[in-house]
Amino acid sequence: MVIRTVLTGLTALTLTAPNGFLAPIEWGGGPLTVDALPRVVYTAHRGGALEVPENSMSGLLAAYERGTAQVIDFDTRMLRDGTLVVMHDDTVDRTTYASGSVRTMDRWDWLAVRLRPGAALPGNWRPERPPTVAEVLDRFGGKIMLMLEAKDPRSLDPLARLIRSRKLTRSVFVNTNDPAVARRAHRLGLLAQLWRSRRQMLTDRPEGWAAFVDVLDVDYKARDGDLLRAVNSGIPRVWAHTVTKPKQRDRVLWLGCNGVITDAPGLLSRTPVKKYKPVRAGGPVRR
């Protein structure tokens, strides 16, 4: 546990944070917000899916307690009764012992679902029920920045109600692949995040999104020129996904990205950033 002592007049405030980074001064008051993020941000993708069971409460908790990321990411879907749950796929087949479509289940069906920890994960993990979005917001909201991907655009309004009711509008990024959904999220007063694939980035003109996108989430496999166009778009935060190796991280940071979304936050946090040396025929690449 990291402890910071702040002197305010004659009063000493002791602020605590998970291992790995100092508690922002902001923790002395209300919830932690986007304004407290460092210059370069690490996001634990699905909690860090190469290190913990993805989208599980125990995995998200491990990511928080280890302190190797400043943002924790998870995916959201909506059950047929409107319950918002944490799940990446549109079925539960890949990550649980159950089978079937998420949208055909209700909250009672969800109580019987159990996550199946991957055999290749380090450590010992037990089967557990996948959480609801409300449970994750209540457990971590305001303690660390959260990033949730709204897999179902219909869920945007109920997601906004959950976030607003907990006063977390400046503490949760709402991610989508659809610029129209990102614009709606912005209009709802949320922090809008837009992710784009390598193929999409071939023709994207991201400067057109600068008025409503808070984070542009770009594919690290994109061409240098496409990444540079994103970095120079006027969008304040350009983070690359889904980074798993230090060399991938070093390249996107060299090109000007100010964050990475990673399945291996532990590995990246303990591996120093090295100067990236691109190799190109005809001379060095100019930034």
mmCIF file of all heavy atoms in Angstrom, residues 19-21 42 51 63 66-70 244-246 249 260 262-273:
data_model
loop_
_atom_site.group_PDB
_atom_site.id
_atom_site.type_symbol
_atom_site.label_atom_id
_atom_site.label_comp_id
_atom_site.label_asym_id
_atom_site.label_seq_id
_atom_site.Cartn_x
_atom_site.Cartn_y
_atom_site.Cartn_z
ATOM 1 N N ASN A 19 -1.008 -0.577 -4.707
ATOM 2 C CA ASN A 19 0.423 -0.620 -5.010
ATOM 3 C C ASN A 19 0.681 -0.107 -6.414
ATOM 4 O O ASN A 19 -0.044 -0.415 -7.335
ATOM 5 C CB ASN A 19 0.933 -2.060 -4.911
ATOM 6 C CG ASN A 19 0.860 -2.573 -3.497
ATOM 7 O OD1 ASN A 19 0.920 -1.796 -2.561
ATOM 8 N ND2 ASN A 19 0.731 -3.875 -3.336
ATOM 9 N N GLY A 20 1.740 0.672 -6.562
ATOM 10 C CA GLY A 20 2.183 1.026 -7.898
ATOM 11 C C GLY A 20 2.059 2.484 -8.255
ATOM 12 O O GLY A 20 2.765 2.950 -9.129
ATOM 13 N N PHE A 21 1.153 3.234 -7.673
ATOM 14 C CA PHE A 21 1.109 4.653 -7.985
ATOM 15 C C PHE A 21 0.536 5.417 -6.806
ATOM 16 O O PHE A 21 -0.232 4.889 -6.029
ATOM 17 C CB PHE A 21 0.307 4.936 -9.263
ATOM 18 C CG PHE A 21 -1.134 4.522 -9.207
ATOM 19 C CD1 PHE A 21 -2.123 5.445 -8.924
ATOM 20 C CD2 PHE A 21 -1.501 3.207 -9.440
ATOM 21 C CE1 PHE A 21 -3.452 5.064 -8.891
ATOM 22 C CE2 PHE A 21 -2.825 2.819 -9.402
ATOM 23 C CZ PHE A 21 -3.804 3.744 -9.120
ATOM 24 N N TYR A 42 -1.862 3.365 -18.349
ATOM 25 C CA TYR A 42 -2.005 1.933 -18.619
ATOM 26 C C TYR A 42 -3.432 1.527 -18.241
ATOM 27 O O TYR A 42 -3.898 1.818 -17.142
ATOM 28 C CB TYR A 42 -1.029 1.112 -17.796
ATOM 29 C CG TYR A 42 0.399 1.097 -18.273
ATOM 30 C CD1 TYR A 42 0.909 2.090 -19.098
ATOM 31 C CD2 TYR A 42 1.258 0.076 -17.877
ATOM 32 C CE1 TYR A 42 2.220 2.079 -19.519
ATOM 33 C CE2 TYR A 42 2.581 0.041 -18.306
ATOM 34 C CZ TYR A 42 3.057 1.050 -19.123
ATOM 35 O OH TYR A 42 4.359 1.031 -19.543
ATOM 36 N N GLU A 51 -3.463 -12.280 -17.483
ATOM 37 C CA GLU A 51 -2.995 -12.425 -16.105
ATOM 38 C C GLU A 51 -4.099 -12.787 -15.113
ATOM 39 O O GLU A 51 -3.808 -13.315 -14.034
ATOM 40 C CB GLU A 51 -2.309 -11.128 -15.659
ATOM 41 C CG GLU A 51 -1.113 -10.765 -16.526
ATOM 42 C CD GLU A 51 -0.514 -9.405 -16.213
ATOM 43 O OE1 GLU A 51 -1.171 -8.609 -15.515
ATOM 44 O OE2 GLU A 51 0.610 -9.145 -16.671
ATOM 45 N N ALA A 63 -6.521 -6.633 -10.484
ATOM 46 C CA ALA A 63 -5.949 -5.520 -11.245
ATOM 47 C C ALA A 63 -5.902 -4.255 -10.403
ATOM 48 O O ALA A 63 -4.924 -3.500 -10.425
ATOM 49 C CB ALA A 63 -6.763 -5.286 -12.515
ATOM 50 N N ARG A 66 -3.225 -4.765 -7.440
ATOM 51 C CA ARG A 66 -1.836 -4.817 -7.894
ATOM 52 C C ARG A 66 -1.322 -3.438 -8.295
ATOM 53 O O ARG A 66 -0.125 -3.181 -8.268
ATOM 54 C CB ARG A 66 -1.714 -5.787 -9.078
ATOM 55 C CG ARG A 66 -1.917 -7.237 -8.686
ATOM 56 C CD ARG A 66 -2.021 -8.142 -9.902
ATOM 57 N NE ARG A 66 -2.258 -9.525 -9.504
ATOM 58 C CZ ARG A 66 -2.482 -10.518 -10.366
ATOM 59 N NH1 ARG A 66 -2.504 -10.265 -11.677
ATOM 60 N NH2 ARG A 66 -2.693 -11.743 -9.923
ATOM 61 N N GLY A 67 -2.212 -2.544 -8.693
ATOM 62 C CA GLY A 67 -1.816 -1.181 -9.004
ATOM 63 C C GLY A 67 -0.962 -1.039 -10.243
ATOM 64 O O GLY A 67 -0.221 -0.058 -10.373
ATOM 65 N N THR A 68 -1.036 -1.992 -11.169
ATOM 66 C CA THR A 68 -0.216 -1.929 -12.382
ATOM 67 C C THR A 68 -0.897 -1.176 -13.514
ATOM 68 O O THR A 68 -0.324 -1.037 -14.590
ATOM 69 C CB THR A 68 0.140 -3.352 -12.848
ATOM 70 O OG1 THR A 68 -1.059 -4.123 -12.964
ATOM 71 C CG2 THR A 68 1.074 -4.021 -11.857
ATOM 72 N N ALA A 69 -2.108 -0.697 -13.293
ATOM 73 C CA ALA A 69 -2.830 0.090 -14.296
ATOM 74 C C ALA A 69 -3.599 1.190 -13.588
ATOM 75 O O ALA A 69 -3.993 1.042 -12.423
ATOM 76 C CB ALA A 69 -3.773 -0.798 -15.102
ATOM 77 N N GLN A 70 -3.814 2.279 -14.286
ATOM 78 C CA GLN A 70 -4.576 3.408 -13.730
ATOM 79 C C GLN A 70 -6.034 3.385 -14.165
ATOM 80 O O GLN A 70 -6.848 4.163 -13.658
ATOM 81 C CB GLN A 70 -3.942 4.732 -14.147
ATOM 82 C CG GLN A 70 -2.557 4.966 -13.572
ATOM 83 C CD GLN A 70 -1.480 4.234 -14.347
ATOM 84 O OE1 GLN A 70 -1.459 4.249 -15.568
ATOM 85 N NE2 GLN A 70 -0.589 3.571 -13.637
ATOM 86 N N THR A 244 0.287 -6.322 -25.829
ATOM 87 C CA THR A 244 0.663 -7.416 -24.933
ATOM 88 C C THR A 244 2.172 -7.505 -24.711
ATOM 89 O O THR A 244 2.609 -8.197 -23.790
ATOM 90 C CB THR A 244 0.188 -8.773 -25.485
ATOM 91 O OG1 THR A 244 0.772 -8.996 -26.777
ATOM 92 C CG2 THR A 244 -1.330 -8.807 -25.599
ATOM 93 N N LYS A 245 2.970 -6.818 -25.530
ATOM 94 C CA LYS A 245 4.419 -6.935 -25.443
ATOM 95 C C LYS A 245 5.064 -5.559 -25.296
ATOM 96 O O LYS A 245 4.573 -4.575 -25.866
ATOM 97 C CB LYS A 245 4.974 -7.638 -26.675
ATOM 98 C CG LYS A 245 4.442 -9.059 -26.840
ATOM 99 C CD LYS A 245 4.981 -9.706 -28.104
ATOM 100 C CE LYS A 245 4.436 -11.120 -28.262
ATOM 101 N NZ LYS A 245 4.914 -11.767 -29.506
ATOM 102 N N PRO A 246 6.171 -5.476 -24.565
ATOM 103 C CA PRO A 246 6.835 -4.187 -24.382
ATOM 104 C C PRO A 246 7.208 -3.497 -25.692
ATOM 105 O O PRO A 246 7.085 -2.271 -25.810
ATOM 106 C CB PRO A 246 8.077 -4.553 -23.559
ATOM 107 C CG PRO A 246 7.671 -5.750 -22.782
ATOM 108 C CD PRO A 246 6.787 -6.537 -23.713
ATOM 109 N N ARG A 249 4.286 -1.644 -27.069
ATOM 110 C CA ARG A 249 4.073 -0.422 -26.280
ATOM 111 C C ARG A 249 5.068 0.651 -26.664
ATOM 112 O O ARG A 249 4.701 1.825 -26.868
ATOM 113 C CB ARG A 249 4.210 -0.745 -24.796
ATOM 114 C CG ARG A 249 4.206 0.484 -23.886
ATOM 115 C CD ARG A 249 4.860 0.215 -22.555
ATOM 116 N NE ARG A 249 6.242 -0.227 -22.698
ATOM 117 C CZ ARG A 249 6.963 -0.725 -21.694
ATOM 118 N NH1 ARG A 249 6.435 -0.864 -20.493
ATOM 119 N NH2 ARG A 249 8.222 -1.091 -21.896
ATOM 120 N N VAL A 260 -1.768 2.983 -23.242
ATOM 121 C CA VAL A 260 -1.913 1.662 -23.844
ATOM 122 C C VAL A 260 -2.989 0.900 -23.098
ATOM 123 O O VAL A 260 -3.160 1.057 -21.883
ATOM 124 C CB VAL A 260 -0.595 0.858 -23.842
ATOM 125 C CG1 VAL A 260 0.433 1.493 -24.757
ATOM 126 C CG2 VAL A 260 -0.041 0.693 -22.441
ATOM 127 N N THR A 262 -3.942 -2.920 -22.334
ATOM 128 C CA THR A 262 -3.116 -4.108 -22.364
ATOM 129 C C THR A 262 -3.737 -5.291 -21.625
ATOM 130 O O THR A 262 -4.389 -5.114 -20.599
ATOM 131 C CB THR A 262 -1.720 -3.811 -21.778
ATOM 132 O OG1 THR A 262 -0.955 -5.027 -21.713
ATOM 133 C CG2 THR A 262 -1.812 -3.207 -20.391
ATOM 134 N N ASP A 263 -3.502 -6.483 -22.172
ATOM 135 C CA ASP A 263 -3.872 -7.716 -21.493
ATOM 136 C C ASP A 263 -2.823 -8.130 -20.466
ATOM 137 O O ASP A 263 -3.049 -9.080 -19.710
ATOM 138 C CB ASP A 263 -4.025 -8.855 -22.511
ATOM 139 C CG ASP A 263 -5.319 -8.776 -23.299
ATOM 140 O OD1 ASP A 263 -6.297 -8.201 -22.783
ATOM 141 O OD2 ASP A 263 -5.358 -9.292 -24.436
ATOM 142 N N ALA A 264 -1.682 -7.447 -20.459
ATOM 143 C CA ALA A 264 -0.574 -7.823 -19.579
ATOM 144 C C ALA A 264 -0.046 -6.614 -18.828
ATOM 145 O O ALA A 264 1.118 -6.232 -18.972
ATOM 146 C CB ALA A 264 0.533 -8.473 -20.398
ATOM 147 N N PRO A 265 -0.874 -5.968 -17.993
ATOM 148 C CA PRO A 265 -0.403 -4.766 -17.285
ATOM 149 C C PRO A 265 0.762 -5.050 -16.348
ATOM 150 O O PRO A 265 1.627 -4.205 -16.157
ATOM 151 C CB PRO A 265 -1.635 -4.289 -16.520
ATOM 152 C CG PRO A 265 -2.504 -5.502 -16.398
ATOM 153 C CD PRO A 265 -2.268 -6.288 -17.647
ATOM 154 N N GLY A 266 0.795 -6.246 -15.756
ATOM 155 C CA GLY A 266 1.902 -6.580 -14.867
ATOM 156 C C GLY A 266 3.222 -6.634 -15.611
ATOM 157 O O GLY A 266 4.233 -6.074 -15.161
ATOM 158 N N LEU A 267 3.228 -7.306 -16.754
ATOM 159 C CA LEU A 267 4.445 -7.394 -17.565
ATOM 160 C C LEU A 267 4.916 -6.018 -17.997
ATOM 161 O O LEU A 267 6.110 -5.679 -17.866
ATOM 162 C CB LEU A 267 4.177 -8.256 -18.800
ATOM 163 C CG LEU A 267 5.283 -8.276 -19.858
ATOM 164 C CD1 LEU A 267 6.548 -8.920 -19.308
ATOM 165 C CD2 LEU A 267 4.812 -8.995 -21.121
ATOM 166 N N LEU A 268 4.021 -5.187 -18.498
ATOM 167 C CA LEU A 268 4.433 -3.869 -18.992
ATOM 168 C C LEU A 268 4.904 -2.975 -17.851
ATOM 169 O O LEU A 268 5.849 -2.195 -18.018
ATOM 170 C CB LEU A 268 3.288 -3.200 -19.749
ATOM 171 C CG LEU A 268 2.818 -3.880 -21.030
ATOM 172 C CD1 LEU A 268 1.896 -2.949 -21.806
ATOM 173 C CD2 LEU A 268 3.982 -4.331 -21.909
ATOM 174 N N SER A 269 4.262 -3.070 -16.694
ATOM 175 C CA SER A 269 4.624 -2.184 -15.589
ATOM 176 C C SER A 269 6.024 -2.480 -15.048
ATOM 177 O O SER A 269 6.676 -1.586 -14.511
ATOM 178 C CB SER A 269 3.598 -2.299 -14.459
ATOM 179 O OG SER A 269 3.674 -3.557 -13.827
ATOM 180 N N ARG A 270 6.472 -3.720 -15.196
ATOM 181 C CA ARG A 270 7.808 -4.040 -14.684
ATOM 182 C C ARG A 270 8.880 -4.061 -15.773
ATOM 183 O O ARG A 270 10.035 -4.379 -15.497
ATOM 184 C CB ARG A 270 7.788 -5.396 -13.962
ATOM 185 C CG ARG A 270 7.450 -6.588 -14.822
ATOM 186 C CD ARG A 270 7.511 -7.890 -14.017
ATOM 187 N NE ARG A 270 7.139 -9.042 -14.825
ATOM 188 C CZ ARG A 270 5.933 -9.583 -14.852
ATOM 189 N NH1 ARG A 270 4.959 -9.069 -14.113
ATOM 190 N NH2 ARG A 270 5.677 -10.634 -15.618
ATOM 191 N N THR A 271 8.510 -3.698 -17.003
ATOM 192 C CA THR A 271 9.459 -3.652 -18.110
ATOM 193 C C THR A 271 9.670 -2.206 -18.519
ATOM 194 O O THR A 271 8.737 -1.558 -19.009
ATOM 195 C CB THR A 271 8.951 -4.454 -19.319
ATOM 196 O OG1 THR A 271 8.618 -5.781 -18.904
ATOM 197 C CG2 THR A 271 10.019 -4.510 -20.413
ATOM 198 N N PRO A 272 10.865 -1.642 -18.317
ATOM 199 C CA PRO A 272 11.092 -0.235 -18.647
ATOM 200 C C PRO A 272 10.844 0.053 -20.124
ATOM 201 O O PRO A 272 11.080 -0.794 -20.993
ATOM 202 C CB PRO A 272 12.570 -0.023 -18.289
ATOM 203 C CG PRO A 272 12.899 -1.124 -17.336
ATOM 204 C CD PRO A 272 12.063 -2.290 -17.741
ATOM 205 N N VAL A 273 10.361 1.262 -20.384
ATOM 206 C CA VAL A 273 10.183 1.702 -21.769
ATOM 207 C C VAL A 273 11.551 1.948 -22.384
ATOM 208 O O VAL A 273 12.399 2.613 -21.788
ATOM 209 C CB VAL A 273 9.338 2.990 -21.823
ATOM 210 C CG1 VAL A 273 9.230 3.502 -23.253
ATOM 211 C CG2 VAL A 273 7.952 2.733 -21.240
#
